[in-house]
């Protein structure tokens, strides 16, 4: 009898325990949910201040930003500002404005940016087919210079 028990094979268990994998996935989900808001990339622009009244608009504006170094950033109707070169800016802006005729287009630049860079940006935006271009500023008192 002892030889019979010794030769009897134990049946292998062919199941996968998925509980540890679920735990790992939940931990990863929590990590991504906590870190995702911290990874928002943006461009800080110190806009000049003016006493102009705010523009009332039904649509979100398209914002073309030029920084002090002359780099362009495009934000389409509330989206994130994307770094972009001049030719791609002109192409994307003309395609967007062709589909949305009444969308307001604003040009934003920091107060320390050269006037020529702001004017070149406005010319570039108008060459893309935008009929009206507005300048952006911070609400508040006028700066004394």
């Amino acid at each position: 009898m002892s030889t019979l028990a010794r030769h009897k094979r134990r049946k292998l268990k062919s199941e996968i325990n998925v509980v540890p994998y679920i735990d790992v996935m939940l931990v990863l989900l929590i990590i991504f949910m906590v870190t995702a808001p911290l990874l928002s990339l943006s461009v800080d622009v110190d806009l000049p201040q003016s006493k102009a009244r705010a523009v009332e608009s039904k649509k979100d504006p398209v914002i073309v930003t030029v920084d002090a170094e002359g780099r362009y950033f495009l934000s389409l109707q509330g989206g994130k500002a994307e770094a972009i070169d001049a030719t791609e800016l002109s192409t994307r802006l003309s395609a967007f404005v062709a589909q949305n005729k009444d969308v307001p287009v604003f040009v934003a630049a920091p107060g320390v940016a050269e006037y020529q860079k702001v004017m070149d940006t406005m010319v570039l935006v108008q060459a893309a087919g935008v009929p009206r271009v507005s300048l952006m500023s911070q609400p508040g008192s006028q700066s004394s210079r």
Side-chain angles (χ1 to χ4, degrees), residues 63-82:
I63 301 172
V64 178
T65 306
V66 59
D67 63 3
E69 287 82 31
R71 295 178 298 211
Y72 298 110
F73 299 91
L74 178 64
S75 174
L76 296 175
Q77 290 192 324
K80 289 187 176 184
E82 304 174 32

Side-chain angles (χ1 to χ4, degrees), residues 98-111:
Q99 292 178 354
N100 304 301
K101 298 278 186 205
D102 298 332
V103 67
V105 178
F106 294 120
V107 172

Side-chain angles (χ1 to χ4, degrees), residues 61-131:
V62 173
I63 301 172
V64 178
T65 306
V66 59
D67 63 3
E69 287 82 31
R71 295 178 298 211
Y72 298 110
F73 299 91
L74 178 64
S75 174
L76 296 175
Q77 290 192 324
K80 289 187 176 184
E82 304 174 32
I84 194 168
D85 66 345
T87 55
E88 189 177 351
L89 172 67
S90 180
T91 304
R92 287 182 60 188
L93 195 57
S94 62
F96 188 79
V97 171
Q99 292 178 354
N100 304 301
K101 298 278 186 205
D102 298 332
V103 67
V105 178
F106 294 120
V107 172
V112 297
E114 292 179 18
Y115 186 69
Q116 185 63 46
K117 291 178 183 173
V118 176
M119 288 305 298
D120 291 342
T121 305
M122 291 183 71
V123 168
L124 182 68
V125 168
Q126 285 182 338
V130 177

Side-chain angles (χ1 to χ4, degrees), residues 18-97:
V18 295
V19 174
Y21 298 116
I22 294 172
D23 291 343
V24 169
M25 291 299 290
L26 287 174
V27 168
L28 288 174
L29 178 68
I30 291 170
I31 289 171
F32 285 124
M33 287 175 57
V34 169
T35 58
L38 302 175
L39 297 177
S40 64
L41 301 175
S42 63
V43 179
D44 292 330
V45 177
D46 185 24
L47 294 174
Q49 295 185 355
S50 73
K51 290 189 179 191
R53 62 180 174 82
V55 176
E56 300 290 327
S57 177
K58 295 177 182 120
K59 294 184 178 181
D60 286 338
V62 173
I63 301 172
V64 178
T65 306
V66 59
D67 63 3
E69 287 82 31
R71 295 178 298 211
Y72 298 110
F73 299 91
L74 178 64
S75 174
L76 296 175
Q77 290 192 324
K80 289 187 176 184
E82 304 174 32
I84 194 168
D85 66 345
T87 55
E88 189 177 351
L89 172 67
S90 180
T91 304
R92 287 182 60 188
L93 195 57
S94 62
F96 188 79
V97 171

